[in-house]
């Protein structure tokens, strides 16, 4: 069994009949993970703005995020899930497109489309590098946190 946080240990010991308490506690367990996700998206958006400044000045995308330092950033942000630098893709990348025309849940017939530009991303809580994909495709959940910019 994985190492459990204190919240998770307490959650396991709350009887089922106290479902509301279990629900609230379960929500609290997810707060640190959600905060990391929010921070990683914010950092990716900031880096994307810096990439745009670089692109305007140099007429091209940087080869790596290290090309932005020290003029555009002091240092590359670290992925809150791994402690390693955020990842960067340039060129062609894939995007999951969901169809919400039938209500709030995405249509199971989601599409994977190709885009061109760049993406800055964190690998997310599952620690699996999905090249910045986020969403559900063919019943598989992808949870990378990313900020993508499409260039014509």
């Amino acid at each position: 069994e994985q190492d459990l946080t204190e919240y998770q240990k307490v959650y396991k010991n709350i009887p089922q009949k106290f479902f509301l308490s279990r629900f609230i506690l379960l929500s609290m367990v997810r707060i640190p993970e959600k905060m990391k996700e929010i921070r990683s998206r914010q950092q990716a958006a900031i880096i994307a703005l810096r990439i745009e400044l670089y692109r305007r000045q140099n007429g091209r995308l940087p080869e790596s995020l290290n090309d932005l330092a020290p003029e555009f950033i002091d240092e590359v942000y670290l992925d809150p899930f791994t402690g390693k630098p955020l990842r960067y893709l340039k060129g062609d990348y894939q995007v999951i497109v969901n169809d919400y025309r039938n209500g709030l849940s995405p249509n199971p017939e989601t599409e994977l489309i190709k885009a061109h530009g760049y993406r800055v991303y964190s690998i997310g809580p599952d620690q699996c590098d999905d090249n910045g994909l986020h969403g559900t495709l063919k019943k598989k959940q992808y949870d990378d946190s990313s900020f993508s910019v499409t260039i014509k």
Side-chain angles (χ1 to χ4, degrees):
E1 190 174 339
Q2 298 176 341
D3 292 332
L4 298 175
T5 66
E6 285 302 311
Y7 286 129
Q8 290 168 319
K9 289 177 187 175
V10 171
Y11 176 81
K12 289 184 110 182
N13 293 320
I14 297 174
Q16 290 286 340
K17 66 182 180 181
F18 299 113
F19 66 91
L20 188 55
S21 296
R22 289 174 61 92
F23 178 76
I24 291 169
L25 191 59
L26 185 59
S27 298
M28 292 174 68
V29 169
R30 294 184 179 137
I31 289 172
E33 185 176 288
K34 286 295 179 190
M35 292 301 294
K36 286 180 179 180
E37 185 179 328
I38 290 167
R39 186 169 64 240
S40 66
R41 286 183 188 203
Q42 178 187 35
Q43 291 173 339
I46 291 168
I47 295 292
L49 290 171
R50 303 299 185 192
I51 289 171
E52 285 303 306
L53 291 173
Y54 179 98
R55 185 166 73 111
R56 284 179 181 229
Q57 182 173 318
N58 295 289
R60 61 180 177 80
L61 291 172
E63 292 301 315
S64 77
L65 295 180
N66 291 328
D67 292 349
L68 300 174
E71 188 173 352
F72 299 96
I73 58 173
D74 293 329
E75 60 186 2
V76 176
Y77 289 122
L78 299 180
D79 183 332
F81 293 101
T82 65
K84 296 178 180 174
L86 289 174
R87 294 163 191 238
Y88 169 64
L89 289 175
K90 71 173 200 159
D92 292 336
Y93 59 89
Q94 295 181 311
V95 179
I96 295 173
V97 178
N98 291 309
D99 180 356
Y100 289 92
R101 287 180 284 190
N102 296 325
L104 295 176
S105 296
N107 183 326
E109 300 301 318
T110 56
E111 293 182 57
L112 194 60
I113 63 169
K114 192 186 219 180
H116 183 79
Y118 61 90
R119 172 180 282 159
V120 180
Y121 68 99
S122 157
I123 66 168
D126 70 356
Q127 303 288 304
C128 180
D129 187 350
D130 299 314
N131 290 318
L133 285 176
H134 186 84
T136 304
L137 180 68
K138 297 181 181 173
K139 298 184 181 181
K140 182 175 182 335
Q141 182 67 34
Y142 298 94
D143 72 347
D144 290 0
S145 295
S146 64
F147 192 94
S148 302
V149 175
T150 302
I151 301 172
K152 292 182 179 182

